[in-house]
């Protein structure tokens, strides 16, 4: 199901005490520059999908305002999927599910660092998503990595996913999970595991695609042809930094889920998170290795550019030395003195030309033998 498809889900009604269109008050904060929120395409509902799962099976369609009650009555959990909700929309859901206002604020404004926080008996996790942007040729302005975010509110009876970014759809993930009843039987933590696993697997794909760009630039830098790759190298290094910011901070939250007991995460789920943690470590090392390799290639490119400039300067200096000899001889014989060698001889002029030619040939051979030309 895409973000624009909501066949059986209606948006939550706003609380009666909140005037429509009024800005949300998530928590007291000092006045300052307003913070920007993510936007979604016009006509797209905030609620992407809402379902209650009992014993690993999806139940009949239910409205978001009734889902939690059904889950509690039947001993299951709710999975509510949201896409770039506004403060009013998420505020209504927060009141229904008793979400902490600080976590709600982070979910509305996005642009958060990957983290895991605990509020009473619930968890709030932020994951950065990434996607590789295809391009025919890497240039100094190419966009290579695009990032988004997925926030997860997790408790025993509900899991709420809030995503920002067009490329981080969870519709296919939900379908795959619904085919894995044994995993869903482990509870709401299975959804958090599946989301984290999807995010990390995407990092693996993105890192592999970026590695191909790095190899292409490496071949270009060390090719026999003279190329200027500094701009492309710097741009790719900047784009790789975005991926590194998404991958590296994820290590600590996943380690906590894999190694420390958490009330809402069953013991049986810790091994699953340990597997995701191992994958995240490998991706982190791969991204760090690519970053170091790019730094080395950039240094090599700068060194090659400097060597090429030095080679040009040697050539210029060599030709200037060659031209200096006939210039000096012609300058001497251009002086208006009566008594100068061979002025009265018929062979004087050809002799001077031969001397100039011989000097030029000797200098050229000497510079050529020394590698200056």
């Amino acid at each position: 199901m895409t973000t624009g498809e909501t066949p059986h889900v209606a948006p939550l009604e706003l609380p009666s005490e909140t005037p429509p269109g009024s800005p949300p008050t998530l928590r007291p904060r000092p006045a300052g520059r307003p913070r920007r929120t993510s936007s979604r395409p016009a006509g797209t509902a905030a609620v992407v999908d809402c379902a209650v799962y009992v014993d690993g099976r999806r139940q009949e369609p239910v409205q978001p305002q009734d889902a939690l009650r059904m889950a509690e009555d039947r001993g299951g959990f709710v999975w509510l999927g949201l896409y770039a909700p506004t403060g009013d929309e998420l505020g209504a859901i927060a009141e229904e599910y008793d979400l902490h206002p600080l976590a709600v604020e982070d979910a509305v404004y996005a642009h958060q660092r990957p983290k895991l926080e605990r509020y009473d008996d619930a968890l709030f996790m932020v994951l950065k998503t990434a996607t590789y942007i295809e391009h025919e040729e890497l240039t100094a302005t190419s966009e290579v990595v695009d990032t988004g975010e997925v926030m997860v509110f997790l408790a025993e009876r509900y899991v709420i996913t809030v995503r920002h970014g067009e490329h981080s759809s969870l519709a296919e993930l939900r379908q795959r999970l619904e085919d894995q009843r044994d995993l869903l039987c482990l509870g709401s933590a299975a959804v958090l595991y599946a989301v984290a696993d999807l995010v990390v697997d995407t990092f693996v794909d993105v890192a592999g695609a970026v590695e191909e760009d790095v190899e292409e630039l490496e071949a270009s830098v060390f090719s026999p042809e003279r190329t200027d790759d500094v701009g492309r190298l710097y741009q790719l290094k900047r784009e790789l930094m975005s991926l590194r910011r998404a991958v590296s901070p994820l290590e600590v939250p996943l380690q906590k889920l894999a190694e420390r007991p958490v009330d809402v995460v069953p013991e049986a789920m810790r091994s699953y998170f340990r597997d995701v943690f191992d994958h995240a470590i490998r991706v982190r090392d791969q991204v760090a290795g690519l970053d170091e390799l790019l730094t080395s290639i950039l240094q090599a490119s700068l060194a090659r550019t400097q060597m090429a400039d030095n080679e040009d300067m040697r050539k210029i200096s060599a030709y200037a030395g060659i031209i200096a000899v006939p210039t000096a001889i012609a300058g001497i014989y251009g002086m208006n003195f009566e008594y100068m060698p061979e002025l009265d001889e018929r062979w004087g002029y050809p002799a001077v030309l031969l001397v100039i030619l011989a000097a030029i040939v000797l200098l050229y051979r000497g510079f050529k033998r020394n590698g200056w030309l």
Side-chain angles (χ1 to χ4, degrees), residues 27-311:
R27 69 180 173 102
R29 58 183 298 112
R33 187 175 63 179
R35 300 170 64 182
R36 297 178 60 185
T37 61
S38 300
S39 59
R40 61 177 184 268
T44 303
V47 178
V48 178
D49 200 355
C50 178
V52 174
Y53 296 88
V54 180
D55 294 331
R57 296 185 183 277
R58 180 167 179 154
Q59 304 300 294
E60 64 272 14
V62 62
Q63 297 301 321
Q65 58 267 29
D66 302 323
L68 183 58
R69 189 181 309 108
M70 177 188 292
E72 292 173 345
D73 293 341
R74 301 186 182 184
F77 68 91
V78 184
W79 182 359
L80 177 62
L82 305 176
Y83 176 49
T86 63
D88 287 337
E89 292 166 337
L90 190 54
I93 294 173
E95 182 177 352
E96 177 72 24
Y97 289 82
D98 194 23
L99 305 180
H100 197 280
L102 294 179
V104 172
E105 183 180 32
D106 289 344
V108 171
Y109 292 109
H111 307 293
Q112 301 295 315
R113 189 175 184 268
K115 61 182 179 179
L116 177 67
E117 296 180 348
R118 181 174 180 176
Y119 297 101
D120 298 327
D121 58 347
L123 294 179
F124 175 67
M125 188 170 184
V126 178
L127 302 101
K128 283 280 190 180
T129 62
T131 187
Y132 179 79
I133 300 177
E134 297 289 344
H135 46 269
E136 295 182 359
E137 181 182 0
L138 182 65
T139 66
T141 58
S142 295
E143 188 176 3
V144 180
V145 178
D146 185 27
T147 58
E149 290 178 62
V150 173
M151 287 86 164
V152 181
F153 296 87
L154 180 68
E156 182 182 3
R157 295 302 178 192
Y158 66 81
V159 55
I160 302 174
T161 54
V162 181
R163 68 181 185 89
H164 297 268
E166 297 180 359
H167 58 78
S168 52
S169 176
L170 303 177
E172 293 183 4
L173 175 65
R174 186 187 287 263
Q175 293 176 0
R176 291 200 303 268
L177 267 181
E178 290 176 354
D179 294 333
Q180 297 176 290
R181 182 184 173 189
D182 293 343
L183 185 58
L184 281 178
C185 283
L186 296 176
S188 58
V191 178
L192 177 60
Y193 153 72
V195 172
D197 186 57
L198 175 64
V199 168
V200 173
D201 286 347
T202 305
F203 289 157
V204 174
D205 297 337
V206 174
V210 173
E211 186 173 7
E212 294 180 1
D213 285 335
V214 173
E215 292 174 352
E216 177 186 345
L217 278 177
E218 185 179 21
S220 177
V221 168
F222 292 101
S223 64
E225 294 80 10
R226 186 171 178 177
T227 59
D228 183 11
D229 298 304
V230 175
R232 296 196 297 164
L233 283 166
Y234 184 72
Q235 176 64 14
L236 185 57
K237 193 171 178 64
R238 283 179 58 107
E239 293 292 308
L240 188 63
M241 186 182 299
S242 299
L243 181 60
R244 192 169 188 174
R245 288 174 178 171
V247 174
S248 296
L250 192 57
E251 176 184 350
V252 174
L254 289 176
Q255 187 175 17
K256 290 180 181 179
L257 292 171
E259 299 179 357
R260 300 181 185 179
V262 182
D263 293 340
V264 295
V265 179
E267 179 70 22
M269 289 300 307
R270 289 169 61 181
S271 59
Y272 289 90
F273 285 108
R274 192 176 300 114
D275 180 68
V276 179
F277 174 66
D278 291 340
H279 292 173
I281 292 297
R282 288 201 297 269
V283 176
R284 181 205 63 184
D285 293 341
Q286 182 181 6
V287 173
L290 289 175
D291 187 59
E292 293 177 1
L293 180 58
L294 270 179
T295 299
S296 300
I297 296 174
L298 180 59
Q299 292 174 348
S301 178
L302 293 174
R304 287 200 65 183
T305 301
Q306 186 176 3
M307 290 177 59
D309 292 342
N310 292 339
E311 184 178 352

